[in-house]
Amino acid sequence: MSTPENTAAPGDGPRGRPSRRALLSGLGIAAAGLSTAAFARPGEHGRDEHGRDERPRKGRTRMKITTLAEGLLFPEGPVALPGGDVLVVEIHRGTLTRVRPDGTASVAAEVGGGPNGAALGPDGRVYIANCGGLRRFEVGGFVFAGGIPDDYTTGSIQAVDLSDGSVETLYTKAGDQQLRGPNDLVFDDQGGIYFTDYGKSDGVTGDKGRLFYAKADGSGITMLAGGMEGPNGIGLSPDGKRLYVSETYTARVWWWDVTGPGKIEGGRSLGGSGNGNFLYTAPDYTNFDSLGVDAHGNVNVASMIHAGISVVSPKGRLVDFVEIDVDDDPGITNICWGGKDMRTAYVTASSTGRLLKIQGWPRPGLRLNNAG
């Protein structure tokens, strides 16, 4: 994908970049070969079949948004540690990175490939969903990730010991099936790992996505679902009885009943992706990325293009849309929570390489298994 000429013009954002609106309505669309009709702004046609207004509602509580760290190379998978540090993975650097409360960043481990998601495990190690790497490209001065790099070999699930930075690769296959592009992961209360495998695409053909369950000690892995369209974020309900997955380009969220460790059941929606049950889809052109579940059981889905967090109830209703506009970054990709009251959100603004700290989040986050 070629990068268009970046020249300042009326409506340009900070540092001479085009504004997000300009990027979506012209410059970025030309670069991506997409139609301008696809990029309706929120609320332009956001009404349901009964005529009710479905426009995403911006967060109305007083939130303080600060940049905790910058200069990161496409950060994702934030993990808030009990002591106040935050971990992120950097896809284009191949690292697990520690960010201190003062914003100082340092490499916790060199994991290689393309680390895409992270979670604390039952043994105190940090588990990584490693997609094996993605190409770096720019659109209008904003960084993105996609495609298959020349040095790609496999996707994997890894475990990092934070005490010495050592890395163990637990899985590269499930039976005779290669892990192509693990994206995100979540632990259940039994110490098992649910994770998405987004797959790989060369721009002409692409893999169907899959959903797996694996044991943290490396002793077993099972594919739970296949035939998905870019499964990305993954999370469990507060009681552990529902599993949620977001898909990127369909901008849909699916769910399954969890009937036991590594056992899920869907089938309530005709043709549901991975036999999942339909929960929600964005009313406008949006790319969903990762997700986090809050203490009320709402699914908080980070979105690119319409940059922000869609807060979706377990019944599939859009409770809120928290717009996050920092330097016009269109790449809001992940959210996690920390602090004593779990109302401090950490959000990755990947296209400008930032980790954001948002104090006063409207609803407390869910304290995850193994979070301490």
Side-chain angles (χ1 to χ4, degrees), residues 2 40 51 60 74 98 115 134 162 200 217 223 268 322 333 353:
S2 61
R60 288 175 292 280
F74 214 87
R98 181 190 293 268
L134 295 167
L162 290 176
K200 289 292 186 183
D217 61 4
M223 189 181 82
R268 301 187 190 185
V322 181
T333 56

Side-chain angles (χ1 to χ4, degrees), residues 249-275:
Y249 294 115
T250 66
R252 290 176 178 169
V253 179
W254 303 94
W255 67 273
W256 295 257
D257 288 304
V258 178
T259 58
K263 305 290 184 182
I264 61 173
E265 185 176 294
R268 301 187 190 185
S269 299
L270 180 65
S273 185
N275 201 39

Side-chain angles (χ1 to χ4, degrees), residues 281-307:
T281 191
D284 300 289
Y285 188 80
T286 297
N287 289 173
F288 278 165
D289 206 279
S290 192
L291 65 83
V293 178
D294 66 32
H296 297 294
N298 300 309
V299 183
N300 293 243
V301 193
S303 62
M304 306 180 77
I305 300 178
H306 290 158

Side-chain angles (χ1 to χ4, degrees), residues 348-359:
T348 47
S350 299
S351 291
T352 55
R354 298 177 179 186
L355 175 63
L356 307 178
K357 180 180 180 180
I358 306 178
Q359 295 170 285

Side-chain angles (χ1 to χ4, degrees), residues 23 74 92 135-139 142-146 304 330-331 351:
L23 177 72
F74 214 87
H92 293 321
R135 292 185 181 275
R136 180 190 185 278
F137 64 96
E138 292 189 15
V139 177
F142 295 103
V143 175
F144 295 93
M304 306 180 77
S351 291

